[in-house]
């Protein structure tokens, strides 16, 4: 996402769905995962906040759809996602 050429490639080769979540929610989801090299720091939440600050606007720039994924249960989230995609595609 940091390179303009990568964002152009995303834009030019399909639809982009940004599953947005706050840094706090992301931390809650990944806090026990030890296979996240970017978060292998003394303060992983601060690192997530920094990454969010760097990348959120870039994801929004290329996104065809932005779906909030912070608090919904999986089934409700999937139904919401399906509904929004159907509306966007005119189905």
């Amino acid at each position: 996402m940091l390179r303009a050429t990568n964002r152009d490639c995303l834009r030019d080769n399909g639809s982009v769905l940004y599953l947005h979540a706050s840094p706090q929610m992301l931390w809650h989801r990944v806090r026990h995962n030890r296979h996240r090299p970017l978060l292998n720091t003394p303060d992983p939440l601060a690192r997530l906040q920094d990454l969010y600050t760097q990348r959120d606007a870039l994801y929004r720039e290329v996104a065809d759809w932005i779906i909030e994924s912070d608090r919904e249960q999986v089934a409700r989230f999937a139904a919401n996602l399906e509904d929004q995609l159907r509306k966007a595609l005119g189905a």
Side-chain angles (χ1 to χ4, degrees), residues 62-74:
V62 299
D64 296 300
W65 299 286
I66 300 170
I67 306 292
E68 296 299 326
S69 65
D70 263 359
R71 294 188 175 91
E72 295 183 71
Q73 293 180 358
V74 174

Side-chain angles (χ1 to χ4, degrees), residues 11-60:
R11 234 186 258 103
D12 295 342
N13 290 293
S15 298
V16 178
L17 176 66
Y18 176 21
L19 299 177
H20 176 265
S22 67
Q24 294 79 8
M25 179 55 70
L26 294 172
W27 171 240
H28 177 75
R29 292 177 184 167
V30 302
R31 69 186 183 275
H32 298 297
N33 186 331
R34 300 295 173 228
H35 303 287
R36 299 270 179 175
L38 289 176
L39 300 182
N40 190 12
T41 68
D43 190 350
L45 177 56
R47 178 68 174 141
L48 272 171
Q49 290 168 329
D50 290 342
L51 291 169
Y52 180 87
T53 299
Q54 293 171 8
R55 297 178 180 189
D56 181 61
L58 300 174
Y59 281 109
R60 290 176 185 278

